[in-house]
Amino acid sequence: MSHPPVVSIPLNNIEDDVRDELLPPRPSKSIGRLHRIKQAIFQSSNPTFKSLLIVVKFSWINLLFIFVPSALVVHFLGLDAKIRLSFLFVSLIPVAKMIGFLIMEISSRFKSENAQVFLRCTGGNIIELVSGIVAIRACQIEMLKATLVGSMLVNTLFVLGVAGIVAGLKFMEANFQVTGTLVHGLLLVLSSVITLIPTILYYGLTSTTLQNVTVEDGRRAILLVSRAVPFSLLIIYVCWCLFQLRSHRLLYDVEGEEEREEEEQALPQISLAMTLCLATIMIGILVVLTEYFVSAVIDLSAVQGQPTPQWIGFILIPLVSTLARQDVFEASESAGKGHFTLVIGMTLEAAVHMAHLVLPLLVIVGWIVGKDVSLLFNVFQATCLFFAGIIVYMIVADGKVNYMETCSALVLYFVICFAYFFFPKGTVDQYKPLCL
């Protein structure tokens, strides 16, 4: 049986309406152009372009980068201090988040998870370090000390408290590695005791039995002790690094959780050269924004009834750092999965870095640039720092935690923040080193 021959009819001989039904719709020139542009952007083989695309798309917080030029414009226009402070506060969040992402890119090149957490905690305190250096240049030493204490309390009480409550929603008790955690708790208590020595010396010098001690002698003694304390903290920090990364690293690398071991390690997404280049640019932007932020704080504190620089350093700057690093969200996510050893590393380890590395470095930087940075904390800061270390050590001492313990720590943090707003400033001005 033969098939009838196939007759091809030219399309030109077909009516227009019939031809439109036979052929697929032709894309318009504008749609085709947009498609080619989209392909060129998202399917480019250029590694530099791909790296930049990854950096731009990694977080929705990048949308807040629009506040960076806006904050600069507001600053140069000399608007009200509250407006400048608000814009600068928001602009610091995406910059710090970007720095945190770049630090994660660098840390992902290490095989040891302990080394990754260690590097992230070290680099995660970049906001406090930069703001501290800017505060030293502006002679805002009290704001600097409030920032250091506030950052340690945020990590030990707030972030740990929220993560513990999230873990309590799924587990009766969250277990974690005991030995390494107890070392973190011990270092926090030890750092609080060591940094309180200048404050204890102050109250000894102001006692009624020492009538022959002049203000200048007392100021000199406190400053000398404050400069000796950082070296003791750095010695402990070096020993801790060797303990954690070399001699006893298995205590930190082994979590005892099969699910955690099965998770894939994060791989670097952008080149090391691109990472270092972008990190340098972001740190430069952070320095500029922080300097304008401190300037706005000084202008705002000059107005009667406004928050003091100490309160802003105690609350706002640690809050910016925490929001940028998203410590609360990451710690809560890990706690919800039962990985509380990782939560301990993100919270207590960050506080240890702050107490044993950032604080000594800032005192030494002040010494080098000729600014007298003492560790003479007021009685409120000293008391909160000491008892926070004691409470955290009591929470982690048994190697397990429940929501009742961490909820108590969280409530304590909010009470401290509320009370600090009403704490009078200038309580130790008599022996405060001069900053010229």
Side-chain angles (χ1 to χ4, degrees), residues 70 84 114 128 142 190 223 254 256 289 363 368 409 418-419:
S70 303
R84 285 185 286 144
N114 176 42
E128 289 85 354
E142 297 304 313
L190 183 62
L223 184 59
V254 178
L289 293 176
V363 176
I368 293 174
F418 179 74

Side-chain angles (χ1 to χ4, degrees), residues 154-164 340 343-344 347-348 392 406:
V154 162
N155 286 292
T156 55
L157 297 180
F158 179 71
V159 180
L160 182 63
V162 173
F340 214 82
V343 175
I344 295 296
T347 55
L348 300 190
V392 169
T406 54

Side-chain angles (χ1 to χ4, degrees), residues 400-418:
K400 52 188 177 181
V401 67
N402 55 62
Y403 74 90
M404 186 63 215
E405 296 172 336
T406 54
C407 181
S408 303
L410 185 62
V411 171
L412 175 62
Y413 176 75
F414 287 118
V415 171
I416 291 174
C417 293
F418 179 74

Side-chain angles (χ1 to χ4, degrees), residues 71-122:
L72 297 177
V73 172
V74 168
H75 173 78
F76 287 112
L77 290 177
L79 299 183
D80 184 71
K82 289 183 180 180
I83 299 177
R84 285 185 286 144
L85 190 65
S86 302
F87 274 84
L88 289 165
F89 177 82
V90 178
S91 66
L92 285 171
I93 295 176
V95 176
K97 177 63 177 178
M98 181 65 69
I99 294 175
F101 169 75
L102 297 174
I103 292 174
M104 290 181 63
E105 281 293 307
I106 297 175
S107 66
S108 62
R109 288 172 165 80
F110 293 87
K111 295 182 179 180
S112 172
E113 182 183 349
N114 176 42
Q116 294 180 13
V117 175
F118 184 88
L119 183 58
R120 291 175 188 175
C121 291
T122 304

Side-chain angles (χ1 to χ4, degrees), residues 2 55 325 344 394 425 434-435:
S2 60
V55 170
R325 295 195 306 261
I344 295 296
M394 293 174 62
K425 60 180 180 179
L434 301 177
C435 185

Side-chain angles (χ1 to χ4, degrees), residues 205-218:
L205 293 173
T206 55
S207 64
T208 56
T209 59
L210 298 176
Q211 299 293 341
N212 58 341
V213 178
T214 64
V215 174
E216 186 62 31
D217 292 337

Side-chain angles (χ1 to χ4, degrees), residues 277-311:
C277 180
L278 291 176
T280 303
I281 296 173
M282 289 296 109
I283 291 176
I285 297 175
L286 179 64
V287 171
V288 174
L289 293 176
T290 306
E291 190 164 350
Y292 294 158
F293 183 85
V294 173
S295 175
V297 169
I298 296 173
D299 295 341
L300 182 63
S301 62
V303 181
Q304 187 68 24
Q306 298 299 327
T308 63
Q310 292 87 343
W311 189 86

Side-chain angles (χ1 to χ4, degrees), residues 141-147 149-150 153 192 195-200 202-203 222 308-311 313-314 374-387 416 419-433:
I141 308 302
E142 297 304 313
M143 176 181 172
L144 163 65
K145 292 186 287 189
T147 302
V149 175
L153 294 182
S192 63
T195 53
L196 290 181
I197 291 178
T199 305
I200 298 172
Y202 161 76
Y203 286 103
I222 291 175
T308 63
Q310 292 87 343
W311 189 86
F314 192 85
S374 76
L375 296 179
L376 180 56
F377 295 97
N378 61 49
V379 63
F380 189 91
Q381 296 170 343
T383 305
C384 293
L385 185 61
F386 177 74
F387 283 105
I416 291 174
Y420 196 76
F421 183 81
F422 301 98
F423 191 82
K425 60 180 180 179
T427 54
V428 293
D429 286 347
Q430 183 183 10
Y431 288 94
K432 184 174 67 175

